[in-house]
Amino acid sequence: SQTIHQWPATLVQPVGSPLSLECTVEGTSNPNLYWYRQAAGRGLQLLFYSVGIGQISSEVPQNLSASRPQDRQFILSSKKLLLSDSGFYLCAWRPGGAEAFFGQGTRLTVV
Amino acid sequence: GQSLEQPSEVTAVEGAIVQINCTYQTSGFYGLSWYQQHDGGAPTFLSYNALDGLEETGRFSSFLSRSDSYGYLLLQELQMKDSASYFCAVSNQAGTALIFGKGTTLSVSS
């Protein structure tokens, strides 16, 4: 069966520090991969999505970037975190159909 | 661009029926889906409509009218555990951006 792994679960980082969040999917090939951010009590904001290795689409220009170095690996990065980058980051994959499967999320606090 | 509108909050009592509406604007349309998210957790898939009509999955049903760019999620026989946030989401094409609404917080009381 397919599973999605996202880590770490929680992270506290100082302003100006770099960020790297990793997401991997098992049990499938060529999944569509997504990064979302959710501020406290708010909706899910789509940050990036990818339909294949090296193919990244950005929905919101900002302080973050994404990469897909391998078929089932999706990485979210920042060179210098801002306070406004705090939030709940969710990775998801979709096999091309209707349903998206989410990882358990990373709660990032920038201090 | 794409946008979705849904009510921010809905309250109901156990055993009741509640309907959460969603209207959308999108440059193309592939389908409308619904997700549930409990506090602190990840969203989980509930239902999907690609064509007009009603889809039923147990206590939950979802409806779509493509001509009205409108859908709803119907929750029947409400239980306390149904207290959560509910999101509608659209994609304009298979395998592309999946855009979520801002979510509706459902509070079920006894």
Side-chain angles (χ1 to χ4, degrees):
Chain A
S1 63
Q2 302 92 346
T3 56
I4 181 168
H5 301 280
Q6 186 182 345
W7 66 92
T10 59
L11 192 59
V12 180
Q13 292 284 102
V15 169
S17 64
L19 173 73
S20 181
L21 301 180
E22 187 166 342
C23 171
T24 59
V25 181
E26 295 178 357
T28 186
S29 59
N30 199 33
N32 299 317
L33 297 171
Y34 303 81
W35 276 112
Y36 291 89
R37 177 171 62 198
Q38 186 175 34
R42 305 289 297 277
L44 288 88
Q45 180 188 33
L46 177 62
L47 302 175
F48 302 95
Y49 68 93
S50 171
V51 299
I53 296 174
Q55 300 179 61
I56 308 294
S57 296
S58 173
E59 287 295 300
V60 183
Q62 57 206 319
N63 186 37
L64 302 169
S65 62
S67 62
R68 185 168 177 175
Q70 299 180 42
D71 182 43
R72 288 170 284 180
Q73 185 184 33
F74 204 23
I75 298 172
L76 182 70
S77 304
S78 173
K79 292 182 179 178
K80 287 186 177 182
L81 284 169
L82 306 172
L83 286 174
S84 57
D85 291 324
S86 293
F88 190 39
Y89 288 82
L90 289 153
C91 178
W93 76 279
R94 201 154 66 118
E99 185 172 358
F101 301 86
F102 285 83
Q104 288 308 299
T106 296
R107 198 162 301 280
L108 171 67
T109 304
V110 183
V111 296
Chain B
Q2 298 171 90
S3 67
L4 299 96
E5 294 290 333
Q6 53 181 127
S8 58
E9 293 183 11
V10 174
T11 59
V13 297
E14 277 187 301
I17 299 173
V18 75
Q19 178 174 313
I20 299 173
N21 299 321
C22 175
T23 57
Y24 60 86
Q25 288 186 324
T26 179
S27 55
F29 182 79
Y30 188 73
L32 180 72
S33 50
W34 290 91
Y35 291 78
Q36 179 191 61
Q37 184 183 32
H38 286 100
D39 269 351
T44 55
F45 174 82
L46 290 177
S47 188
Y48 173 74
N49 297 72
L51 302 174
D52 287 359
L54 192 68
E55 293 285 340
E56 297 181 76
T57 310
R59 295 187 297 115
F60 295 176
S61 303
S62 59
F63 172 82
L64 175 66
S65 169
R66 293 166 64 115
S67 60
D68 296 322
S69 298
Y70 163 77
Y72 66 71
L73 178 70
L74 190 73
L75 300 88
Q76 303 181 73
E77 301 172 22
L78 281 173
Q79 303 174 10
M80 297 290 285
K81 67 178 182 179
D82 297 327
S83 293
S85 293
Y86 293 84
F87 297 87
C88 56
V90 295
S91 58
N92 61 356
Q93 188 177 327
T96 60
L98 181 63
I99 305 297
F100 283 76
K102 289 183 165 50
T104 299
T105 300
L106 170 64
S107 299
V108 181
S109 58
S110 56

